[in-house]
């Protein structure tokens, strides 16, 4: 009876999907993969796989570009056989999306296998995600970020926080279940507010000691429990640079996997032009300063390579296009330029 119901449901779902947009069909298909273990297991035999090694994605350098290869299920089977591993390894993969043609994409971490041997076999290298941020195409980074975050979450949630018993993931990797307590765990993101502060004619950017040399970015901080986004913006700006926000507005959001999975909520904030003296919190920041429009435009043209000077010092530069801080800075530049036009 259950088998008959599933077959009827699939036919009805298929008819429903044909009447809707490509996006709706994709979302319905992905949801079915997450909810139906058998269906997802079957999809693994025709899907593509992104490889990781201890959370570092596999890249291939072609000319001056770094590509993110997708391995077919057949190629994955060949690789596992070559390293004398069973196809059960595929069960460790997690679903990270699908194409418009409903070809599912999975991510698989091969950290237990020899890194150099895999790199040699596939003619590429496993690259730290922070470095990958600077070299991969803009369209590839979100998928890599989501994949790494999901793989990291599974690695750190293998036991139930209530019973201490092992948890088990579903085939898609969209949840883990403790059968001893009946608790279901879902991947989560921590909300972080990232704010570009302006006094009307300048923007305020800062850097931490851990940043690459010369890089400045917008202020950011985690939302405390019970805080609204508005309260977090005001508190973080006050804590980090000693300024009081007069008004702010939302810009956009972005998932960010480093150092752990976060939802970056990007905002612009305005402080009074008469109260702009920075009082930097040296426990959190190494430097904080105002940038005028001309400085900001010039810094946007640089990257971590071109900012280095002959004497070893670094001119200011900003996060790459893949980061939402870059989006905020470009928005501010566009708004300033429209004022002066």
């Amino acid at each position: 009876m259950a088998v008959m119901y599933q077959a009827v449901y699939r036919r009805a779902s298929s008819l429903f999907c044909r009447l809707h947009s490509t996006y709706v069909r994709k979302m319905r298909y992905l949801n079915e993969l997450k909810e139906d273990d058998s269906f997802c297991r079957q999809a693994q035999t025709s899907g593509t796989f992104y490889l990781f090694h201890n959370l570092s994605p596999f890249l291939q350098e072609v000319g001056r570009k770094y590509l993110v290869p997708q391995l077919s299920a057949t190629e994955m089977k060949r690789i596992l056989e070559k390293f004398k591993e069973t196809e059960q390894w595929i069960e460790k993969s997690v679903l990270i999306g699908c194409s418009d043609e409903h070809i599912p994409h999975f991510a698989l971490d091969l950290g237990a296998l020899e890194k150099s041997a895999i790199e040699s076999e596939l003619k590429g290298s496993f690259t730290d995600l922070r470095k990958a941020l600077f070299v991969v195409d803009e369209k590839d980074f979100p998928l890599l970020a989501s994949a790494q975050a999901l793989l990291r979450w599974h690695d750190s949630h293998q036991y139930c926080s209530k019973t201490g018993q092992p948890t088990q993931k579903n085939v898609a990797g969209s949840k883990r279940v403790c059968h001893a307590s009946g608790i279901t765990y879902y991947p989560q993101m921590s909300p972080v507010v990232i704010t570009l502060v302006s006094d009307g004619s300048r923007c305020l950017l800062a850097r931490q000691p851990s940043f690459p040399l010369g890089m400045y970015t917008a202020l950011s901080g985690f939302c405390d429990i019970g805080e609204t986004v508005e309260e977090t913006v005001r508190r973080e700006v006050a804590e980090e640079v000693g300024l009081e926000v007069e008004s702010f507005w939302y810009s956009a959001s972005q998932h960010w996997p480093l150092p752990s999975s976060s939802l970056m909520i990007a905002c612009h904030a305005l402080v009074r032009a008469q109260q702009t003296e920075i009082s930097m919190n040296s426990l959190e920041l190494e430097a904080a300063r105002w940038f005028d429009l001309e400085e900001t435009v010039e810094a946007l043209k640089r990257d971590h390579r071109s900012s280095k000077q002959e004497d070893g010092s670094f001119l200011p530069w900003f996060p790459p296009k893949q980061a939402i801080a870059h989006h905020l800075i470009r928005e501010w530049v566009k708004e300033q330029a429209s004022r002066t036009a």
Side-chain angles (χ1 to χ4, degrees), residues 8-264:
V8 171
Y9 172 81
R10 291 227 176 89
R11 282 196 293 271
S13 178
S14 177
L15 176 62
F16 175 87
C17 286
R18 284 198 296 271
L19 300 176
H20 287 77
S21 69
T22 299
Y23 176 77
V24 171
R25 291 198 299 270
K26 278 180 65 173
M27 295 306 103
R28 290 295 175 96
Y29 176 66
L30 287 171
N31 185 65
E32 190 173 359
L33 290 174
K34 292 175 184 178
E35 297 300 323
D36 188 329
D37 280 354
S38 297
F39 189 45
C40 189
R41 193 173 286 112
Q42 180 184 353
Q44 288 173 337
T45 64
S46 59
T48 62
F49 293 80
Y50 292 81
L51 297 187
F52 288 73
H53 193 280
N54 292 329
L55 302 179
S56 292
F58 181 75
L59 307 180
Q60 289 177 330
E61 187 175 1
V62 179
R64 300 184 64 180
K65 292 185 177 181
Y66 283 83
L67 305 181
V68 185
Q70 300 177 41
L71 274 68
S72 67
T74 301
E75 181 70 357
M76 271 310 312
K77 182 179 178 181
R78 184 188 72 79
I79 294 296
L80 291 174
E81 287 177 349
K82 184 176 181 65
F83 288 94
K84 297 180 172 55
E85 298 292 341
T86 67
E87 288 185 58
Q88 289 181 332
W89 263 78
I90 300 296
E91 289 276 340
K92 299 179 181 180
S93 67
V94 294
L95 177 71
I96 55 174
C98 74
S99 68
D100 289 345
E101 295 74 30
H102 292 191
I103 298 173
H105 303 317
F106 298 90
L108 179 62
D109 197 299
L110 301 177
L113 304 182
E114 187 181 346
K115 178 181 174 183
S116 59
I118 302 171
E119 291 176 329
S120 176
E121 176 67 23
L122 297 177
K123 297 178 174 55
S125 60
F126 291 101
T127 307
D128 183 85
L129 191 64
R130 291 182 188 275
K131 181 181 177 182
L133 166 64
F134 293 97
V135 298
V136 300
D137 192 271
E138 278 184 77
K139 65 179 177 59
D140 291 323
F141 186 76
L143 199 62
L144 290 184
S146 298
Q148 197 225 46
L150 191 52
L151 290 168
R152 183 192 298 274
W153 181 82
H154 280 285
D155 186 57
S156 60
H157 287 75
Q158 296 184 33
Y159 296 91
C160 176
S161 61
K162 183 176 182 179
T163 66
Q165 295 298 309
T167 57
Q168 292 185 339
K169 82 174 191 65
N170 64 337
V171 176
S174 60
K175 60 187 175 183
R176 297 189 73 92
V177 178
C178 173
H179 294 291
S181 64
I183 297 175
T184 300
Y185 295 92
Y186 295 95
Q188 296 179 338
M189 296 187 291
S190 301
V192 174
V193 168
I194 180 165
T195 307
L196 186 64
V197 177
S198 174
D199 66 355
S201 61
R202 301 175 298 174
C203 66
L204 191 156
L205 298 162
R207 57 174 282 104
Q208 296 178 356
S210 60
F211 286 4
L213 292 174
M215 192 187 85
Y216 281 76
T217 188
L219 303 177
S220 64
F222 288 94
C223 295
D224 283 347
I225 293 230
E227 271 190 332
T228 63
V229 170
E230 296 89 335
E231 290 168 337
T232 304
V233 169
R234 291 190 165 92
R235 174 180 58 77
E236 283 294 333
V237 174
E239 283 181 359
E240 295 190 0
V241 292
L243 297 175
E244 190 169 339
V245 170
E246 189 175 57
S247 62
F248 85 100
W249 55 100
Y250 168 81
S251 172
S253 63
Q254 177 188 37
H255 167 252
W256 194 250
L258 305 167
S260 57
S261 197
S262 301
L263 176 63
M264 308 296 290

Side-chain angles (χ1 to χ4, degrees), residues 282-296:
S282 58
L283 294 177
E284 295 195 31
L285 301 176
E286 180 181 80
R289 51 166 289 207
W290 292 103
F291 287 75
D292 62 27
L293 178 58
E294 184 179 351
E295 286 181 294
T296 306

Side-chain angles (χ1 to χ4, degrees), residues 293 333-341:
L293 178 58
V333 166
K334 185 177 180 180
E335 192 269 338
Q336 290 294 310
S338 67
R339 284 186 181 184
T340 57

